[in-house]
Amino acid sequence: MTSTEPTAASTDAGGDDSIVKKLSTLDRYLAVWILLAMAVGLGLGRLIPGMNDALAKIEIGGISLPIALGLLIMMYPVLAKVRYDKLDSVTGDKKLMVSSLVINWIVGPAVMFALAWIFLPDLPEYRTGLIIVGLARCIAMVIIWNDLACGDREAAAVLVALNSVFQVIAFGLLGWLYLDLLPGWLGLGDGERLDFSMWEIALNVVIFLGIPLLAGFLTRRIGEQKMGRESYEAKFLPKIGPWALYGLLFTIVILFALQGKTITSQPLDVVRIALPLLVYFAVMFFGTFLLGKGLGLAYDRTATLAFTAAGNNFELAIAVAIATFGVTSGQALSGVVGPLIEVPVLIGLVYVALAWRRKFTASALTTAGEAR
C-alpha cells in the first residue's frame, strides 16, 4: 500500500477513489519518480568516470552495500506495518501456501529455462545468466510491489520467508538440474556448474530479509506496547511510510549507475536479454493472477501470490553470476539486466493489479447482493 494509505483498506466500490485522493505527491507520481531515478542512475554511470567501478567495490561477500542499504530502507517500513499476530491466518491457507511453493520452485525456474533456450539459443553466456535469475526467487523487492498494489502484507511476509528457506535448500539443487543435468539429457550441449556456497545464499537471505524482518517485528511489538495498536498505526506508521519509496528510488539510482556504461554501450545485447524477461514477467504474473482468482482467493492474496511469483532475487543472481563467471561476463550482464527490466515492468503491473482490484471489489459486492 502507499505511504499515506489507511491501515484498513476500504472494501466498498469507491475505496480506490478515496485512497487516490489521499495520496501524497510522492505516491501519486511514483511512476514518474522511478523513470527519473532510472535516468539519473544511467546518467551518473555514464558521465562520471569510474563511478560504477567505485560503487561495485563497496561490497562484502559479493553483496553490494549501497544496494543493501537501499533495500533495507525500502523494506523496513513495510515490514513494520505487518500485523504479526495475524500470520497464522496465512499459514492456515493451504491453497495459498501450496500454490506459492509450486509456482516459485517448480513453474518459475522451468519457465525461465524454456524461455532462455527459445530466445537465446546462440548466446550461451546470456542464456545461463537468465536461468540463474529464474532460480533466484524474490525475497526483497516484492515486499514493496505487493504493498503498492494493496496486497496482503501478512501473506507477503510469510511467502518471502518461505521462499528464503527454500532458497537456501533448493538453489544449488535447481542450479545443477537446469544448468548441468537437463542440457545434457536434452542434447543441448555441455552443462555449467555454479561456484557458490550455501553460506553465501544464507548470508543473502539474512541481510535482505532477516534484518528488516527483525527490525519491523521489534518496531511493531515495542510500538504497540508503548502506544497501543490504534495509535501506532495512525501516528507512527505514516511517519516512516514514505521511507519505503525513498529506499526504492535510491536503490534504482544505484542499480542503474552501476551498469549505466555497460547498458548504453551494449544496447542490442540488452534488448536480446530483455525480450525473454518481458515474456517471463507477463507469463508469471498474469498466469498466477488468473490461478489465484480461479482458486477463489481474495484480491489481496491473489496480488501477493502474483507478485511473489513474478519477482526475482536479483542481488543473489548477480552475486552468483559474478562469483562463478566474472564481473565482465555475459552471465553477469544478464543478471544485471534482470532488475533493470523488472523495475519498470513490475511498477506497471502494480497499476494493472490496482485496476483489477476494482473488478474484484465490484464482483464481491454483486455476489453479496445476490446472496441477500
Side-chain angles (χ1 to χ4, degrees):
M1 299 182 190
T2 61
S3 60
T4 54
E5 184 178 348
T7 301
S10 181
T11 57
D12 55 73
D16 286 343
D17 292 335
S18 64
I19 288 172
V20 170
K21 292 177 182 178
K22 296 180 180 180
L23 293 179
S24 67
T25 301
L26 177 65
D27 295 313
R28 194 184 296 262
Y29 300 106
L30 179 60
V32 176
W33 307 138
I34 286 178
L35 290 174
L36 286 174
M38 292 164 60
V40 169
L42 282 174
L44 290 174
R46 182 72 181 180
L47 299 175
I48 300 179
M51 182 175 182
N52 53 348
D53 294 332
L55 288 172
K57 292 178 181 177
I58 309 175
E59 62 176 39
I60 295 178
I63 295 174
S64 167
L65 293 185
I67 292 177
L69 176 62
L71 289 174
L72 293 177
I73 294 172
M74 177 188 74
M75 293 176 65
Y76 164 68
V78 181
L79 290 170
K81 295 176 184 179
V82 172
R83 291 180 173 179
Y84 291 92
D85 58 342
K86 303 293 184 183
L87 295 185
D88 58 344
S89 68
V90 178
T91 56
D93 189 338
K94 297 297 189 292
K95 289 181 180 179
L96 179 69
M97 301 291 285
V98 173
S99 297
S100 179
L101 284 176
V102 171
I103 292 167
N104 274 287
W105 296 101
I106 298 178
V107 177
V111 169
M112 188 67 92
F113 175 82
L115 291 173
W117 276 98
I118 291 170
F119 281 87
L120 302 170
D122 58 328
L123 297 170
E125 289 190 0
Y126 296 159
R127 184 178 62 237
T128 297
L130 276 183
I131 293 171
I132 294 172
V133 170
L135 300 179
R137 311 312 299 168
C138 195
I139 64 168
M141 196 169 279
V142 69
I143 294 286
I144 195 74
W145 305 134
N146 177 75
D147 213 49
L148 291 169
C150 301
D152 187 319
R153 289 188 184 124
E154 287 70 37
V158 170
L159 294 186
V160 296
L162 191 65
N163 270 354
S164 71
V165 173
F166 270 77
Q167 195 149 260
V168 174
I169 297 171
F171 187 88
L173 177 62
L174 291 174
W176 169 75
L177 173 65
Y178 285 107
L179 293 174
D180 192 21
L181 183 63
L182 272 186
W185 274 7
L186 299 175
L188 299 173
D190 296 332
E192 300 273 9
R193 291 186 178 274
L194 297 182
D195 179 21
F196 66 93
S197 67
M198 289 185 66
W199 160 247
E200 291 172 321
I201 299 176
L203 179 63
N204 186 278
V205 169
V206 168
I207 291 177
F208 294 119
L209 179 62
I211 292 175
L213 185 62
L214 179 61
F217 172 77
L218 292 176
T219 299
R220 176 169 277 276
R221 188 177 184 90
I222 295 171
E224 286 190 356
Q225 288 177 348
K226 293 184 176 296
M227 304 171 63
R229 170 164 291 184
E230 184 176 344
S231 182
Y232 172 83
E233 294 183 344
K235 297 179 180 180
F236 179 74
L237 289 183
K239 293 180 180 179
I240 65 171
W243 282 94
L245 301 185
Y246 298 151
L248 172 63
L249 296 175
F250 174 80
T251 303
I252 292 170
V253 170
I254 296 299
L255 277 172
F256 279 75
L258 275 168
Q259 296 297 328
K261 187 175 181 179
T262 302
I263 294 166
T264 54
S265 63
Q266 298 176 250
L268 293 180
D269 288 349
V270 170
V271 170
R272 288 289 304 272
I273 297 168
L275 289 175
L277 282 169
L278 289 171
V279 176
Y280 172 82
F281 292 133
V283 168
M284 295 301 293
F285 180 84
F286 291 109
T288 305
F289 210 104
L290 291 174
L291 173 64
K293 191 172 183 181
L295 291 173
L297 298 178
Y299 165 80
D300 55 354
R301 291 196 175 176
T302 298
T304 300
L305 187 64
F307 279 105
T308 52
N312 296 94
N313 186 350
F314 60 84
E315 184 64 17
L316 175 61
I318 294 170
V320 170
I322 291 174
T324 304
F325 304 103
V327 70
T328 61
S329 65
Q331 292 88 342
L333 179 61
S334 289
V336 168
V337 172
L340 305 188
I341 301 300
E342 179 177 332
V343 167
V345 169
L346 289 191
I347 190 62
L349 291 175
V350 166
Y351 288 100
V352 171
L354 289 173
W356 283 354
R357 182 186 185 217
R358 288 190 287 271
K359 293 183 179 181
F360 266 79
T361 304
S363 176
L365 288 173
T366 300
T367 302
E370 291 174 350
R372 286 197 293 269

